[in-house]
Structures are given as C-alpha cells and as structure tokens.
Amino acid sequence: MVILGLNYAFHDSTACLVRDGELVIAIEEERLTRDKHTAAFPQRAIDRCLKEAGLTYEDIDHVAVAFDPRLDLGRKALYPLRHPRALKGFASHEWRTVVQKPRYLRRWMAQTWPNPAQRPRLHAVGHHMAHVAGSFFICPWEEAALLSLDGSGEWATGLIGQGRGTDVEVFRESYFPMSLGSVYEAATEFCGFQPNYDEGKTMGLAPLGDPERFIDAARDTVWVEPDGAVRVDLGWFDYPDWKGHRYGEKFVRVFGQPRRKGEEFQQHHLDVAAAFQQVMEERGLELAGILRRWTDHRHLVVAGGVALNSVMNGRLVREAGFDDIYVMPAAGDNGTAIGAAYWVWNRELGRPRNFVHMDPYIGNGYDDAAIQAVLAECKLPAERDEDVVGTAARLLHEGKIIGWFQGRMEIGPRALGNRSILADPTRADTKDRVNAEVKHREAYRPFAPSVPAEHKEKWFETEVEAPFMLKVCDVRPEAREQIPAVTHVDGSARLQTVSKETNPRYHELLERFGELSGIPVVLNTSFNIMGEPMVESPWDAIRCFYSTGLDALVLGDYVLTK
Ligand SMILES: [Fe+2]
C-alpha cells in the first residue's frame, strides 16, 4: 500500500511516500527547484521520491493532499460581509486555493493516470488535521495532548485536543482572523522582515530587546479564552483586510515607526520583537495549561508553523507541566504532506500506528559513485579520505569553516548534520567569521550547537532530547564562555542533540572534535548560499563551496580544501 502525500496549499510544497505505514522518503520542492518556500506543484519532488524509492506512478494507491477545499465554506462566505475591505484579497486567495489548485490537481491526476480504473484515490485532508496527524500519529507516544497553531489553514488557525492511538478529539478550534500566528507575522513585518517566512528572525531578535516596555499593549492584542479559543483585538491589525500591511494604524501609533527592510534596527523594533515573543510564549503556555487541566496526558504534541518557535517550545518543555513535547522536524506546512499521508493511513484506511518519526534524514541522498562522478565532471581532484571524520574534526579544531554533506537530506528548515556548515564554537570570533565569510546573515542572529545526546546535560540545562533543533534551552552558566559562538545574548541556545543510532557519522564527528578540543559541541548552521534553500546535491554543495568563504568541503568520504 503506497500513499503519496502532498503539500501544495500555500507554501513549502512537499511530497512524501508512505509505504505500508512507513515513511520512505520526503522531499521539499524548493530543494530541487532552488526556489525557497516555493508554492509550486511539487512535481520534481514527486518524481524524485518515486525514483529514490524504486517505485512508479502505477505503484501509488492513494494520493493525500493537505488541504480540503470543502472545509469551512459557510464561515468563509460570511467573511467579506463582515470585512468588506477584504473582498478583493480574500476572493483572489480563495480562487487560488479553493478553485485553481484543486482543479490543477484533478487535471494532474487525470493526465498522470489516464485510465480512471487505475487512478489512485484522491483524499483531501484538512490542513490542521494534517498538521496534527504528521506529528501525533508518528510521535513516540500512544496518547498525548495536542496543540496546533499557524497563520491559517483552510480557515482554522489552530486547535487544542487530545490523541489516543489513532483517534483525535478536538476540544476547540480557532478561526481566521483570530490567529496567534498572524499576530506574530504582523510583528515580524513591523521589524522589517518578510511575514510568513522570517518569524525565526523575530524570535532571534527578541532577546536583544526589553519586553517590559510594550508587554502590556502586546498582551492586549491577542489572548486565550478559558475555553481555549484564541481571540485577537482586530483594531491593532490590518491583516484581516488581506491587503497592505499586516499591522494597523493603532499598532504604529503605539509601537512606533515600522522598520523598512535593510534599515538599521531602532530600540523600539527590538522591544516589539521581545514583547510579541513573550506574548507568543505566554499564550502557548496558557493553551498548554488548559490541556494540562482538561486531560491527564504526560506528553504534549505541538504542530503547525508556530511550533517552529523553538523558544516557545523550550518554555513548554520547562513550564507546561508535561514530561516532554514532540514537534516534528518540518512542523510548518512542509510537514503537512507527511501528515496528510498518515491521516489516510491511520484514519481513512484504519491502520494501526506502526511508525515513529525520530529520523529527520528522510530526503534523497548521493552514494559514493554519484559523488565521485560529480567530482570527476567538475575536474576536482579529490582522493577518498579513509578517516574523513578525523580529518573534519581536525579541520574544525584548526578553526576552519567546513561544508558537511553526508547521507540523506534532512526534512524541515533546520540543517541537522547532513547538509550543514560546521565550525568550532569555542572561538569567540567564529560567529562573526561564519557570518562575514559564508552566511552573510544578520549579525545578531544566533548559531545553533550540536552535541552528542549523552553529553547534553554537561553543557546545557535540559533533560530532554532535542533531535530536531526545536527546543531552545539555556547553556549552563559555567559553559557559556567556553562555547561563545553558539550562546545567544540571553544565554540560550537552539540545541540539537545527536544520537549515535540516528546519525552515527555526525555523532562520531562531535566526539572526535571533543577529543581534540575538550568540548564535543559543534556550531551547526544550514548549508546554503544566502537566500537560497539548503544544498540538495553535490553540485549545489560545490557551487556554495567555491562562491563563499568556506575553507573545506566534505562530500561523503571526499575532502576538498582551499
Ligand atoms: Fe499550516
């Protein structure tokens, strides 16, 4: 039984294959087209998934799409009556998502399988159900409290509920424009970033500001009702109008002039980021608190784009009263391709749970022969290194910045040690060097550390695993000076714990680096040229290597240096 899961709703188009309940492969279309966050139909990702899995279109039994155009039509129909200024933007959005995209999909199905008798069944899965299924049905726990939050799906912006086995009970849904994600998007736009994409930059900016200055006003913009519904005071925002800015006149009057892209940050931009980050954390904790009171689950599953707010997740781990939380590595819309497939497998086909998603390396890979062929084609004389891990550890210890390309590609926005740029975090100048020579990104943004899972507590204040870099914790005070390049200004770090079972080569690299430096922690940032998606192929890696200040490139067993 093969299910093709697709996200083709809003952005981060993705395809995956689930065979007999096992997630075989998942690829984001942006990695192949090199168009970051693309909303295009994931044709290349589908073709590559099939090729890598050794399957053909004839093998596909079901196609699961993470958007249901029939959902919430009644609610939507009333919207332009209440928000007449939104009519044009709303109508074009609905035309695109409810008419055009589903029509394209039906035509694609008909062209791909001309014989209706052989055509797979098409399933439209509600967006938030896809978020939930892609997290809960493949999390390590049979029962959990559920929290899903994003900007908006068909019309829902979030839900709270609980999951038992393959049952999902929804306690409360919130609907557009009552959206915690949209409020944070407005703050992101106010700070001069691209809303709906750059929320991580707002999160990184927040520790530089003082939340107290604006916290009372920020709290007034969005709150949680006792029944778990998100409420927004729309007087602060223009996003319900679907045109112009997401923040409104009152927002600017109270918080000051927005920053334009490329302008210097002023103190009030930092303070707004800090205040809205704190509000996001507080509202997340309140929703989790309701789930804690209403259920007796020991674990919380957090899904949706808001679940990429790893600082909020860190507080949920520490303060919400659950033993641990699970956030899948592609908690944004990319992961809904996986969720749609599992909704069909576990709910519509009624199959029991049989897969736990703890391995983020589920993309395509390049074997030794493929890497050799690329090196030969590029006339790059690289010898196989019999101790490539030792060589990489030595290069890192010498202060070199290396591109590290290994095995199968990660899913989700974080590089987790297979398409990563790595550097020595113990040197004070590493962060500035990685920024100036390779990444060219905003100087304030922190870089993340990777540590072997078994050593995490020696360096970081955490008791839980963070394999997907989605749970921020504090660096132990005594360790902060030892790993300055991965310690943010507030003493926190967006930690990745690496297990020997999931990524033995990366785990060994951390250990070998630790033998040389005394500290088994490596700075890990995504392997890409600024503004581009993460590298997918050896060609991408070589292009990035020679067009940035990377000192070395490790491609599988081959090492290139400058
Ligand atoms: Fe979403």
Side-chain angles (χ1 to χ4, degrees):
M1 174 77 67
V2 175
I3 304 169
L4 171 68
L6 298 177
N7 169 46
Y8 167 53
F10 309 112
H11 47 83
D12 294 295
S13 297
T14 301
C16 76
L17 289 170
V18 171
R19 182 168 49 197
D20 298 329
E22 188 189 341
L23 180 56
V24 178
I25 188 165
I27 304 177
E28 292 140 295
E29 182 76 358
E30 64 162 32
R31 306 288 174 88
L32 303 172
T33 62
R34 314 305 299 155
D35 178 15
K36 203 168 182 177
H37 298 304
T38 185
F41 185 74
Q43 184 62 59
R44 291 195 204 183
I46 296 167
D47 289 338
R48 187 66 72 90
C49 282
L50 287 169
K51 183 169 169 248
E52 296 281 324
L55 296 170
T56 67
Y57 283 93
E58 283 67 49
D59 296 315
I60 298 171
D61 302 295
H62 298 268
V63 175
V65 182
F67 183 86
D68 186 348
R70 299 158 302 185
L71 266 187
D72 302 319
L73 289 176
R75 273 194 187 86
K76 288 195 218 177
L78 294 174
Y79 189 73
L81 301 176
R82 293 197 190 121
H83 300 268
R85 279 154 55 97
L87 183 60
K88 202 170 156 210
F90 168 80
S92 78
H93 176 268
E94 290 302 295
W95 174 255
R96 207 167 47 250
T97 56
V98 174
V99 180
Q100 270 186 325
K101 286 200 165 188
R103 190 169 62 194
Y104 182 91
L105 193 68
R106 284 193 301 275
R107 280 189 194 151
W108 176 81
M109 296 277 298
Q111 280 166 9
T112 307
W113 294 275
N115 181 352
Q118 290 168 349
R119 199 172 296 156
R121 230 178 100 199
L122 178 64
H123 305 257
V125 179
H127 187 77
H128 274 277
M129 279 304 137
H131 273 311
V132 164
S135 303
F136 172 61
F137 288 161
I138 49 179
C139 82
W141 313 305
E142 284 278 326
E143 297 188 355
L146 308 176
L147 171 61
S148 181
L149 293 167
D150 65 6
S152 67
E154 291 86 0
W155 209 238
T157 61
L159 64 83
I160 56 170
Q162 66 177 338
R164 290 181 199 276
T166 56
D167 285 333
V168 171
E169 182 185 355
V170 176
F171 300 146
R172 193 75 166 87
E173 274 190 303
S174 299
Y175 296 97
F176 193 83
M178 301 299 154
S179 166
L180 196 51
S182 295
V183 167
Y184 200 82
E185 285 170 15
T188 296
E189 188 183 30
F190 181 85
C191 292
F193 305 129
Q194 191 181 350
N196 211 8
Y197 294 116
D198 288 342
E199 279 64 35
K201 295 185 182 179
T202 312
M203 185 183 81
L205 190 66
L208 279 72
D210 174 9
E212 287 309 311
R213 182 174 169 199
F214 292 130
I215 191 66
D216 290 339
R219 281 181 183 137
D220 285 346
T221 65
V222 59
W223 62 95
V224 173
E225 297 286 354
D227 66 355
V230 171
R231 284 275 172 268
V232 176
D233 179 348
L234 298 177
W236 293 85
F237 302 101
D238 281 352
Y239 73 78
D241 291 343
W242 297 73
K243 61 180 180 185
H245 295 292
R246 281 165 165 78
Y247 50 78
E249 251 178 62
K250 184 178 176 185
F251 199 101
V252 174
R253 208 166 54 241
V254 172
F255 297 124
Q257 279 305 309
R259 171 180 171 265
R260 284 205 194 87
K261 195 179 169 195
E263 282 180 358
E264 290 290 310
F265 289 105
Q266 294 175 33
Q267 188 60 42
H268 71 279
H269 301 130
L270 311 182
D271 295 341
V272 164
F276 279 87
Q277 175 60 31
Q278 184 172 323
V279 167
M280 172 71 92
E281 294 163 21
E282 289 174 356
R283 302 310 178 227
L285 280 164
E286 286 167 37
L287 288 162
I290 290 172
L291 288 166
R292 193 80 191 86
R293 288 195 296 281
W294 289 3
T295 72
D296 53 6
H297 298 298
R298 288 170 46 217
H299 298 109
L300 173 67
V301 167
V302 191
V306 171
L308 295 174
N309 193 307
S310 46
V311 176
M312 178 190 80
N313 295 343
R315 287 194 65 185
L316 290 172
V317 170
R318 291 189 300 276
E319 299 175 39
F322 294 93
D323 289 357
D324 196 0
I325 73 170
Y326 177 85
V327 186
M328 69 100 81
D333 284 0
N334 19 17
T336 61
I338 296 169
Y342 276 95
W343 183 263
V344 169
W345 175 250
N346 291 126
R347 294 292 311 169
E348 299 196 15
L349 301 175
R351 302 301 178 100
R353 298 159 65 116
N354 61 341
F355 179 79
V356 176
H357 188 197
M358 293 304 287
D359 180 351
Y361 314 101
I362 51 166
N364 54 310
Y366 290 82
D367 61 16
D368 191 77
I371 290 172
Q372 261 189 22
V374 176
L375 289 168
E377 194 181 325
C378 298
K379 297 183 184 170
L380 290 169
E383 292 287 308
R384 184 198 307 276
D385 189 322
E386 295 304 328
D387 182 23
V388 75
V389 176
T391 302
R394 179 177 53 76
L395 288 167
L396 288 171
H397 188 49
E398 288 169 0
K400 302 284 194 285
I401 306 169
I402 70 172
W404 176 255
F405 182 102
Q406 302 289 339
R408 294 178 67 180
M409 188 165 60
E410 304 88 337
I411 180 104
R414 305 275 164 256
L416 297 169
N418 278 7
R419 300 288 184 278
S420 289
I421 288 171
L422 307 176
D424 175 0
T426 68
R427 296 165 187 251
D429 66 343
T430 296
K431 185 180 157 188
D432 290 342
R433 279 191 51 228
V434 175
N435 254 330
E437 297 172 15
V438 183
K439 294 287 283 191
H440 308 296
R441 65 184 209 178
E442 297 84 350
Y444 71 86
R445 289 173 66 195
F447 286 111
S450 299
V451 67
E454 56 273 33
H455 300 317
K456 63 182 185 302
E457 280 153 87
K458 185 160 182 218
W459 308 96
F460 302 96
E461 293 188 339
T462 184
E463 291 166 9
V464 298
E465 306 265 315
F468 309 140
M469 215 182 254
L470 284 168
K471 302 169 186 173
V472 167
C473 65
D474 280 343
V475 181
R476 288 202 175 280
E478 63 275 19
R480 288 176 193 177
E481 282 186 6
Q482 292 178 286
I483 46 173
V486 291
T487 304
H488 203 10
V489 291
D490 59 354
S492 68
R494 202 179 61 207
L495 175 68
Q496 178 199 5
T497 57
V498 180
S499 79
K500 204 176 195 167
E501 294 70 37
T502 313
N503 196 336
R505 181 167 271 203
Y506 191 41
H507 184 273
E508 188 192 345
L509 175 64
L510 298 173
E511 294 282 12
R512 297 282 292 273
F513 177 73
E515 286 166 17
L516 296 172
S517 68
I519 302 176
V521 178
V522 162
L523 180 153
N524 174 8
T525 185
S526 55
F527 194 167
N528 64 333
I529 295 171
M530 191 171 71
E532 290 190 7
M534 252 185 269
V535 299
E536 179 270 324
S537 66
W539 289 278
D540 296 336
I542 289 167
R543 192 166 65 90
C544 184
F545 177 55
Y546 284 111
S547 58
T548 66
L550 279 174
D551 299 306
L553 172 62
V554 184
L555 278 175
D557 288 340
Y558 299 84
V559 182
L560 292 163
T561 53
K562 286 178 184 161

